[in-house]
Amino acid sequence: MQDELIGRGRREGNRLFKDWFVELDGAADSGEPVAYTFVMGSLAEVLRAFDFHVVFPEINSLQAAVKKQSPEYLNKAEDYGYSTDVCGYVKADVGTQLQDGRHPNGRIPKPSLVIASNMCNTYVKWVEIWERMHHCPVFVFDLPGQRSMAWQAQPGDAAFEADRRYVEGQLEELIAVSERITGRRFDLERMREVLAYVNSMAADWEAILRLNQNVPAPFNVLADGLTYMGMLSAYRGTAEGAHYMRELREEMEFRVAHRIGTVPEERFRLHGVGPACYPFFRRFLELFQEWGAVFVSSEYLAYAGGGLDRGIHYDLDRPLESLAEQLVLTAQRSMSNMFFSQDRLHDAVREWRADGIVYHSVKSCRTVSTGMADSREYLTRVYNVPALFLESDLVDPRAWSEAQIKNRVDAYFEALASRKLAAAAGR
Amino acid sequence: MAVAAPEQIDSILESAAELCSDFTYPAVKAWMQSHPEGRAIGHFQVYFPEEIVHAGGMLPVKVMGAGDALESRRADSHIGSFICSICRSSLELGLSERLGMLSAFYTLPICDVARNLTGIWGRNFPNQPAEILYLPQNAASRHAARYLADEYARVRTNLERIAKRPISTEALNRSITVFNENRRLIHELYAFKRERPWLLSAREAYVLVRAGSVMPREEHNELLRGALDALASRSGRKQDRVRVVFEGGFCEQPPLDMLQLIEEACYVVDDDLLIGMRYLTEDVPDDTDDPLLALATAYLECSTYSPVQHDDRKPKEEMLLRRIEASQAQAAILAAAKMCEPGMDEQVACSRALEARGIPYLIVEFEEKMSGLERMRMEVETFVESILFD
Ligand code: SF4
Ligand code: SF4
């Protein structure tokens, strides 16, 4: 039982990812409708209801980086004209598109429709690139987010309802576009099915994240968590996705019951802000694991996991309305995790019993990184949370400086260790 | 009307230039002194419906960085090195207490640096409410205008709280009239520059327009009327120079020295500098029962373009080509602020479109405080010569 369960999430995740790329490779020849979309605000619920093959270019770029192939793609895009300072995810994709969709994991089919939510503004610029390259229809889906630190808009409030109406109107427009492209009528029953799968995935995922409040934590959110999070996007609203999350929850419950952690001795628990450095993924994680440190939570998993971390539950009796409502709620929460995260970070540190926060500021991604230095200053000043600040990139290996990063990581843990000692001595 | 003496333009230009470079905001402070109950409301680039602020008897102030006027001493520890300078120096303005007179600060979802700025503002200036006005990115949606009018109504409610008075339909319509005139005058100024660039440089037009961002709009209208009057009698000799469009100044503003060096080599006959102040291209109806809807509709239906508004009905390179054609330019300078994601992305698209049409272009990068202007001068000169002797 133990042998079969432990590591199943990773193994199955890898297998399903392979299948997914095989399917995309097949779609490159079959001419079936293909939609490109992004992990934040993917609208997978609509796309799956029309059985589009769904491509997530961010996942492709991440995969290229993990496989250490990103320099080739980045160079191609830079030769084409993109500055070294443009988001590396965009450039890794441009590099892929310029080679006719050839990617380390297979061929990426050309799009029949591309969708960008405004949850990252670079998404909007990115779809404009595809629009010019592929002359395909573009749908920019507006999801108005949290307006300010004090913003409190809930269903029923005038401000919330205005956003919801807009989102619902856009859903109807997206459905009409999808009907035109696929030549199929919208099937409400099919959408209900998709929504039910998302409900199930979201409930299990929320429980899985909470299980990491245990000591030792059953998984490292920035290590295996990455595979789990990828599954949330790639298989959102599918039977396989729902089954996967159910099994993953089982694995995590087992780990918790048997106190199986991710390092031999869990000495430090960390909350991570931002993604890892994917071209040096293993090394990035090792720098922490060597100190017995585990990333137990991260708001990266909340927004980059499509907002399934808490609270999504579609009312299947009023599917479209409910979808619109949840889209507004998750957009608000995801965007506030990037722009107004300070108090939530503090809550997460308490709830997940973290010893400190690690900010990884990535040059490519101004969306998640612009506010980090300021947030760190705030968390230290107002909440006295020990924070480490690292800088590199998520896809560009040129931004990685191991010696400097290692020095900072080591100094941080030395300080954390003394702090723990002092706390234990009651000082 | 009395005919203005040609030398009057020099003094108008001088006072406009002073207003643009004085980050103690003298005109704002003077207005506040003469309006003890009045409030100043800050907003970031690019487009903001200032009419709503104005209708509440308040003064809209555009915050758009500080050029090379400030050392970014405090902001550097709050913002990484990969962020554009307008965001950094705007924060520096706040952290150095130069914006204490603002009762609120609005940002727009033009890019994620700007959205993050709202959070940074909120954490650092708890007594100065900062919020995002969510302009729609799905401009072609049938639902966008209603949504935007609702968003404007939300902002109006917040502004009423600050102004401690209601913002009525009549007041909004009156404000629209003032701003319509302002935009008309700016468009006139640009038309003048397109037709007679030897009499009005891009740099001069720029300071005349920019002055409006930090002074009451009625006074700015006066200033522009005076300038247009005085320009009519300005004389100068047309030279045989290449006519270019400058593109890339929609948000962060290039140093004036950079504009000057470009103009030493060619005529800049049109540009997108401070495009937000002339984003609406036609008069907004000022006699409706729903002025917020009128403003929202104008933003979506009667507006120009920028890299930070997506609208399939206005493909940006097509719009640039139109701008080039309408101003009879022979070439374009495609600029981008360093570290500005939307600007850098757009530069590639525009350069490829111009390439395809055989229109010469020069790619440049700028920041508020920049070295390397001499190298840029040489690049511009070489570029212009290559066109002249082609
Ligand atoms: S800016 Fe960040 S969120 Fe946006 S596309 Fe790039 S990596 Fe993704
Ligand atoms: S210059 Fe560019 S990146 Fe900076 S605030 Fe403006 S649009 Fe955003």
Side-chain angles (χ1 to χ4, degrees), chain B residues 349-381:
Chain B
C350 289
S351 62
R352 299 192 79 82
L354 295 187
E355 188 102 45
R357 307 287 203 294
I359 299 174
Y361 63 88
L362 177 69
I363 298 269
V364 298
E365 182 185 73
F366 66 86
E367 54 189 327
E368 286 183 345
K369 271 193 220 127
M370 62 189 289
S371 52
L373 280 177
E374 277 319 302
R375 206 189 59 227
M376 188 183 287
R377 181 191 301 280
M378 274 164 49
E379 283 169 7
V380 173
E381 282 170 2

Side-chain angles (χ1 to χ4, degrees), chain A residues 58 87 89 120 122-123 126 364-365 367:
Chain A
E58 291 154 293
C87 166
Y89 265 20
C120 163
T122 302
Y123 289 172
W126 199 340
S364 269
C365 185
T367 311

